[in-house]
Amino acid sequence: MRIEEALADLDIAVVVPTYQAQRTIEDVLRSIPSYVTRIIVVLDGCTDGTQAKVAAVAAEDARVLELSHDRNRGVGAAMRTGYRRALEEGADIVVKMDSDGQMDPAYLPQLLLPVALGTADYAKGNRFLRPDAIHRMPKVRLAGNAVLSLLAKLSSGYWQMLDPTNGYTAISREALAAIDLDRLDDGYFFESSMLAELGVSRAVAADVAIPSLYGEEESHLSITHSLLTFVPKHLRAFLRRILYRYLLMDFSAVSLLLAGSVPLLIFGVSFGIRSWVRSSLYDTPATAGTVMLAAFTTAGGLYGLVQAMIYDIMSTPDRPITMPRLGIIRPAGVGASLPEQKE
C-alpha cells in the first residue's frame, strides 16, 4: 500500500491562513494533494484579489471551504478560526500551510506520518536538518532563526527543536483539543506560542526535515522586529511553563534546585555589586570574606540553574496523547516502511 493511499483513509484538513496572496494562493490550493479531505482557507482581511482567486478554485474543488475575517487580525487569529472549524468538521489531523508558496506539498506525507502513526502529537518542518537547504536560506533568516530557536527551547521545554518559526505543521485532533486556543498569539509569534502551549500540555513534538521554497514573494515577517517583540513573549511563556510544570502540576528535583539556586544567585550578584560600588565610593578594598561570599553564592546559584536545566532537558515529553491511526507493515521497495490502516 502506498503512503498516499493510507493517508486517504484519514480525515485530514489543511488550514491556509491568507493575507494579500493573490499572486500565489491559486497555485498553493491547486497543489494540495488529493488525499487531503478538506482545505480551509481563512481570508484574513484581504483587500486585493485573493478572494476571487480562492472562489475560482473552490468552484472546481469541493474540498475548498472559505472563511473570512472582516479585518486583518494576524496569522494566529486566522489559524484559531481554521483550527476551530477543522475540529467541528471532525478532522483527525490538521495541517497549517501558508499561502505564500514556500511550503512544498510534496513533503506533506513526511509531515503527516509521525502524527498518523501516533509517535508524535505535533510535527513541524525544520529547515536546519538539511545542509543543502541551509545553504539556500538567506543568511539573515538563518542567524535570526538560530537566536529564536534558543529562546523557544527555553520557553517551550522542547530542547530538541529547531526552527521554531517554521509554519509548516501538523497536529492531531487530541493535541489540538488539549490546548487553550485562546492563548495562542494573534501575530507572527503564533508558532512559538503553539509550542509553549503544547509544552504545558506535555504533548510530544517532532521535527521533520523539510526545506522551504524561496521565490519572489515578500515575507511579512521581519527578523529584527521578531527579535525585539518575541523576547518579552518568550520570557512570559518561560515563566508560565516553570510555574505550571514545576510548582503547580508537579514538584521535582528541578523545583528544589530552582528554589535554592535562584535566591543564591540573586543574593550573590546583588551583594557583589553593592560591595563593589561601596568599595569604589569610599576607596576601600573589599575584604577577602566579602569577595568569597559574593563569589561562592553566585557560583552556587549558577551551578544549581545548570543542574535544573539538565533535568529540564531530560524531562522533554516523550509519551504522545495521540491515538495511532496508521500501523506499519513490511517494507515495500527500498528504504521505507509503508503505513496500513488498523482494524
Side-chain angles (χ1 to χ4, degrees):
M1 178 184 291
R2 290 172 54 83
I3 295 178
E4 290 80 2
E5 293 174 355
L7 291 174
D9 292 332
L10 304 181
D11 193 324
I12 300 170
V14 173
V15 178
V16 186
T18 307
Y19 177 67
Q20 311 296 64
Q22 64 175 343
R23 292 193 299 113
T24 57
I25 186 62
E26 189 171 0
D27 289 338
V28 169
L29 297 180
R30 294 188 188 281
S31 69
I32 295 177
S34 60
Y35 55 80
V36 170
T37 308
R38 59 182 56 83
I39 304 168
I40 302 173
V41 183
V42 183
L43 296 168
D44 190 32
C46 298
T47 57
D48 60 356
T50 301
Q51 195 279 333
K53 297 286 187 180
V54 174
V57 178
E60 303 173 8
D61 190 341
R63 300 177 302 164
V64 177
L65 173 64
E66 179 186 324
L67 304 177
S68 298
H69 290 169
D70 57 358
R71 59 181 177 82
N72 180 243
R73 293 163 51 190
V75 62
M79 283 306 301
R80 283 204 306 273
T81 298
Y83 276 152
R84 288 192 171 106
R85 186 55 180 267
L87 289 175
E88 291 173 3
E89 295 286 335
D92 296 319
I93 303 174
V94 186
V95 175
K96 174 182 178 290
M97 183 180 292
D98 289 341
S99 61
D100 56 10
Q102 291 188 5
M103 298 174 181
D104 191 345
Y107 289 92
L108 192 53
Q110 288 93 317
L111 188 69
L112 289 166
L113 277 178
V115 181
L117 295 172
T119 59
D121 303 303
Y122 182 73
K124 55 176 284 297
N126 187 338
R127 293 161 288 185
F128 293 99
L129 295 179
R130 297 176 64 93
D132 58 329
I134 291 177
H135 294 154
R136 296 194 300 270
M137 187 182 301
K139 297 298 186 291
V140 175
R141 291 190 186 186
L142 187 62
N145 272 290
V147 176
L148 292 173
S149 291
L150 176 60
L151 295 175
K153 291 174 187 288
L154 289 166
S155 64
S156 69
Y158 292 115
W159 290 93
Q160 83 284 8
M161 298 292 259
L162 290 171
D163 201 8
T165 60
N166 194 307
Y168 203 2
T169 65
I171 186 171
S172 71
R173 180 179 184 85
E174 294 89 345
L176 194 56
I179 64 175
D180 184 358
L181 293 177
D182 289 328
R183 294 194 65 91
L184 298 177
D185 190 80
D186 282 348
Y188 291 114
F189 191 69
F190 166 74
E191 283 83 10
S192 297
S193 68
M194 190 76 175
L195 287 173
E197 292 304 310
L198 289 167
V200 171
S201 300
R202 303 295 292 164
V204 175
D207 269 343
V208 179
I210 300 178
S212 286
L213 303 174
Y214 294 105
E216 298 179 355
E217 69 285 339
E218 294 182 4
S219 174
H220 298 290
L221 178 61
S222 164
I223 291 296
T224 302
H225 181 263
S226 298
L227 292 175
L228 293 176
T229 59
F230 284 15
V231 170
K233 293 181 178 181
H234 275 299
L235 177 60
R236 287 197 296 270
F238 169 73
L239 294 176
R240 177 171 176 262
R241 179 174 75 87
I242 295 301
L243 176 65
Y244 273 72
R245 177 75 179 91
Y246 296 113
L247 292 179
L248 299 180
M249 298 173 63
D250 191 14
F251 197 86
S252 63
V254 177
S255 309
L256 294 174
L257 286 168
L258 290 175
S261 60
V262 172
L264 270 180
L265 183 61
I266 293 175
F267 172 81
V269 172
S270 59
F271 180 75
I273 292 175
R274 176 181 176 277
S275 300
W276 177 79
V277 171
R278 184 182 181 86
S279 178
S280 299
L281 289 176
Y282 295 101
D283 197 24
T284 55
T287 64
T290 299
V291 174
M292 294 298 289
L293 178 60
F296 274 113
T297 52
T298 301
L302 287 174
Y303 178 79
L305 287 179
V306 170
Q307 291 300 310
M309 184 177 70
I310 292 173
Y311 281 115
D312 188 44
I313 294 173
M314 294 171 60
S315 66
T316 299
D318 58 1
R319 294 183 179 180
I321 61 177
T322 296
M323 178 185 69
R325 292 177 169 86
L326 296 180
I328 292 294
I329 60 174
R330 66 184 182 279
V334 179
S337 295
L338 300 182
E340 178 183 66
Q341 187 73 31
K342 285 192 172 180
E343 295 292 331

